[in-house]
Amino acid sequence: MADPDTTANADIDSDAVTDPDSETDPDTDERRAALERRLEALIRENRFTIAVVFPVVGAVTLVASAEGLLPGPLAYNPLLILFGTLVMRSPLVVGLLPQVDRRALVYLGLVTAYTYAIELVGVRTGWPYGTFEYGIQLGPMLLGEIPLALPLFFLPLVLNAFLLTLLVLDGWSARPLVRIPTAIAAVVAVDLVLDPAAVAIGFWAYIPPGGYYGVPASNYVGWLLSGTVAVLLVDRAFDRAALLERVRTCEFVLDDLVSFVVLWGAINVLYGNWLAAAVAGLFCLGLFRTERYDRELLLTALPASIGTDRDS
């Protein structure tokens, strides 16, 4: 989509912040660049495993846990959940790593602090999401009430929604009044997929259950609030022009969103949450809209043992 207003490029410049203390030792920069290249090569070599195999295995094991088909040590095993989540998040982390500077760390740190604070308020008071309780332990619990790894679950969802928004809007993303509301809507749409599936497999439950596959409308009011705060902070975390260029050129940066759609979309299908599954389908359309998940790219992402036969 063409940029409707080339003068909007001024907004790009206004996003940039000059940090007088940003100079670093050249040797440090070179070591960081070398590490980033090695990590990128590792992701590229294992894209299919990370973006498809891991979420498929995750969906099977989580549903098997919910249905009592796994032995106790494996059912809802928090270490396996955290490990699988970390692996699926790796393309996003590695893809954004070159854009992470002091400014980004400060704003992402603020999002992290907000994530803990609003979740703790939610667990203790029922505001703003509605009264809910965790059905399982998603790893170590902070203060015995909320998962310590909560930012690992929440922040990447916001980043995925934000990056997809930048790519789909293209030139329109230069306009804050278009970019910000669209990204917020995408974050809320993420939870339209996530929460029904999470309730279905017993991650958490609302009291009383709501009308949207057990999820109350208040939860989405809460996500609108949280999504707004998170998107505004993420929007300030990066130089948007540099971020957009990175997202355009890094073919795997949205693979975490692919994993999300596969994992939670599959669970929604298995439990008959058809509206939630349809929203997951809309994310599929958004990913196709980026023109990076066509047949040829899928084939190049397959493991070598499969990819060697792709032309046969």
Side-chain angles (χ1 to χ4, degrees):
M1 186 179 297
D3 191 337
D5 187 356
T6 55
T7 62
N9 289 332
D11 176 65
I12 297 176
D13 297 333
S14 68
D15 282 348
V17 174
T18 302
D19 183 356
D21 300 322
S22 61
E23 295 183 1
T24 58
D25 180 74
D27 291 338
T28 301
D29 288 342
E30 180 57 35
R31 285 195 296 270
R32 173 173 171 170
L35 175 61
E36 289 171 356
R37 288 193 295 269
R38 287 196 294 269
L39 291 173
E40 289 176 14
L42 183 63
I43 296 297
R44 289 189 175 97
E45 292 169 4
N46 296 279
R47 286 187 68 191
F48 185 82
T49 299
I50 295 170
V52 178
V53 175
F54 262 80
V56 168
V57 172
V60 171
T61 56
L62 289 175
V63 171
S65 297
E67 300 300 320
L69 301 177
L70 287 182
L74 292 179
Y76 296 125
N77 185 292
L79 293 179
L80 292 178
I81 291 173
L82 290 176
F83 175 72
T85 302
L86 283 169
V87 170
M88 289 185 287
R89 297 290 189 249
S90 60
L92 176 68
V93 173
V94 173
L96 288 182
L97 199 56
Q99 301 301 312
V100 175
D101 53 15
R102 294 177 186 175
R103 165 184 166 180
L105 289 174
V106 168
Y107 280 102
L108 296 178
L110 290 174
V111 179
T112 298
Y114 173 79
T115 301
Y116 283 129
I118 196 66
E119 189 78 0
L120 189 60
V121 170
V123 168
R124 291 182 174 180
T125 70
W127 184 88
Y129 303 107
T131 302
F132 71 98
E133 59 184 21
Y134 285 98
I136 64 171
Q137 286 196 349
L138 298 171
M141 302 295 282
L142 182 64
L143 303 176
E145 296 177 276
I146 60 176
L148 184 62
L150 185 64
L152 175 67
F153 300 124
F154 176 73
L155 182 53
L157 301 181
V158 176
L159 290 169
N160 282 326
F162 187 77
L163 297 181
L164 181 64
T165 296
L166 292 184
L167 276 179
V168 172
L169 290 179
D170 197 18
W172 286 85
S173 68
R175 297 191 170 195
L177 292 180
V178 176
R179 177 176 75 248
I180 301 299
T182 304
I184 294 170
V187 171
V188 175
V190 162
D191 195 55
L192 287 170
V193 178
L194 171 63
D195 243 290
V199 168
I201 60 174
F203 269 23
W204 51 78
Y206 291 90
I207 307 169
Y212 179 68
Y213 306 116
V215 184
S218 59
N219 174 67
Y220 295 103
V221 175
W223 268 74
L224 182 61
L225 170 63
S226 295
T228 299
V229 173
V231 166
L232 288 174
L233 291 172
V234 167
D235 190 61
R236 299 305 304 168
F238 301 97
D239 176 347
R240 189 178 53 79
L243 179 63
L244 180 56
E245 180 61 22
R246 174 61 177 171
V247 176
R248 282 172 173 165
T249 57
C250 182
E251 74 278 11
F252 60 75
V253 72
L254 283 175
D255 282 5
D256 181 36
L257 185 56
V258 175
S259 299
F260 172 85
V261 170
V262 173
L263 173 61
W264 299 107
I267 292 174
N268 278 311
V269 168
L270 289 172
Y271 281 93
N273 300 339
W274 301 114
L275 182 55
V279 178
L282 291 178
F283 277 106
C284 287
L285 292 178
L287 288 166
F288 287 134
R289 174 69 175 80
T290 66
E291 299 181 351
R292 60 178 58 199
Y293 292 103
D294 55 14
R295 178 178 178 274
E296 183 60 29
L297 187 55
L298 175 62
L299 291 174
T300 60
L302 290 173
S305 60
I306 301 176
T308 52
D309 297 330
R310 65 179 179 265
D311 294 327
S312 59

